[in-house]
């Protein structure tokens, strides 16, 4: 018997739907009514920023099943999703997430406010340390190490002649001692200074002092004679400087590596 041209042999041929097909169609209609026609995206899809959904935690996984990302649950139908959204588990998780988001936002705002206040304090401190145009008295002497015969420099800077208006005797400013730094001539705008190096001594609100140094390498002795109570920001400030906060005298001393020592190292 040939059923090729029979009723229901072709799609849309007008055949009577079976009970399973009818139930499937009915479930689809119910799902569409419950979801209110909302297009549920897949978990691996990128959502648009302007897309607003009534249930932002509901997605479809790779197999098309509905999942709740917040509660990590899987649902076979939208009616199951509706029961889950109205349940205690989902409600508690939504409350917990809201509290955590609120705390994190308050923490960020508090940290931002704290950083802003700290920045304002730094700006105010810098503005209060106006340059008074005073050049401190600086004394330089050549010294020689009796142990190895290395030649170096001993520098004394007197910061006691300070104007009261720009005084740095407050508790916050007195804790910051003068600092030294080796500056290469390549860092300067003057092309004539290339190939040279300078020792710069800085202490606000005084003028900076620059001393030209020979090209020899500076030696840091293990047993340093400079008894510096405050640790410097680097090895140069820690081992080669001493700040007397009472008398406002700043001492710098270091030695240079001689030609014989350089040849011996080679």
């Amino acid at each position: 018997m040939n059923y090729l041209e029979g009723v229901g042999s072709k799609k849309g041929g007008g055949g009577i739907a079976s009970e399973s097909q009818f139930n499937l169609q009915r479930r689809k209609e119910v799902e569409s009514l419950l979801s209110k026609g909302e297009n549920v995206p897949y978990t691996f899809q990128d959502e648009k920023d302007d897309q607003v959904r009534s249930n932002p935690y509901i997605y479809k996984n790779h197999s098309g099943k509905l999942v709740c990302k917040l509660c990590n649950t899987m649902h076979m139908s939208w009616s199951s999703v509706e029961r889950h959204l109205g349940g205690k588990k989902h409600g508690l998780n939504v409350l917990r997430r809201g509290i955590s988001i609120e705390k994190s936002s308050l923490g960020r705002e508090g940290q931002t406010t704290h950083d802003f206040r700290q920045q304002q304090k730094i700006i105010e401190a810098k503005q209060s340390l106006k340059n008074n145009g005073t050049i401190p008295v600086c004394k330089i002497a050549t010294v020689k190490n009796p142990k190895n015969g290395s030649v170096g420099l001993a520098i004394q800077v007197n910061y006691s002649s300070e104007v009261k208006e720009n005084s740095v005797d407050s508790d916050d400013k007195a804790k910051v001692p003068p600092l030294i730094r080796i500056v290469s001539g390549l860092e300067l705008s003057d092309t004539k200074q290339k190939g040279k190096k300078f020792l710069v001594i800085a202490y606000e609100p005084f003028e900076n002092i620059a001393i030209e140094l020979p090209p020899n390498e500076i030696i840091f002795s293990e047993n340093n004679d400079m008894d510096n109570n405050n640790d410097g920001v680097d090895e140069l400030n820690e081992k080669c400087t001493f700040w007397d906060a009472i008398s406002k005298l700043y001492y710098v001393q270091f030695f240079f590596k001689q030609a014989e020592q350089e040849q011996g190292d080679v």
Side-chain angles (χ1 to χ4, degrees), residues 140-143 151-155 211-214 252-256:
I140 305 174
T142 304
V143 293
V151 179
L153 291 178
I155 304 169
I211 303 170
E212 185 176 352
L213 300 178
V252 182
Q253 179 176 302
F254 47 81
F255 296 92
F256 300 102

Side-chain angles (χ1 to χ4, degrees), residues 36 95 121 178 194 208 244:
K36 299 178 182 179
L95 288 176
K121 289 181 180 179
K194 290 184 178 180
N208 294 345
D244 189 351

Side-chain angles (χ1 to χ4, degrees), residues 111-127:
Q111 184 66 25
T112 304
T113 305
H114 177 72
D115 294 342
F116 177 75
R117 290 177 180 174
Q118 289 293 110
Q119 191 68 20
Q120 287 296 115
K121 289 181 180 179
I122 294 173
I123 294 174
E124 292 175 0
K126 287 184 177 180
Q127 290 177 351

Side-chain angles (χ1 to χ4, degrees), residues 42-61:
Y42 286 88
T43 55
F44 51 82
Q45 286 180 336
D46 295 332
E47 293 189 69
K48 297 180 181 179
D49 296 336
D50 56 349
Q51 185 178 5
V52 179
R53 299 195 296 123
S54 58
N55 299 297
Y57 302 113
I58 304 302
Y59 289 85
K60 289 181 181 178
N61 59 9

Side-chain angles (χ1 to χ4, degrees), residues 13-27:
I16 300 174
S18 63
E19 186 177 357
S20 61
Q21 291 176 337
F22 180 76
N23 292 335
L24 179 61
Q25 182 65 23
R26 184 178 59 184
R27 283 198 299 270

Side-chain angles (χ1 to χ4, degrees), residues 2 97 113 116 120 126 161 173 196 207 231 236 249:
N2 186 7
R97 181 167 179 80
T113 305
F116 177 75
Q120 287 296 115
K126 287 184 177 180
S161 59
K173 299 173 186 176
K196 300 180 181 180
E207 292 283 352
D231 294 337
L236 181 65
L249 294 177

Side-chain angles (χ1 to χ4, degrees), residues 46 83 138 164:
D46 295 332
R83 289 194 298 270
C138 179
K164 293 183 179 180

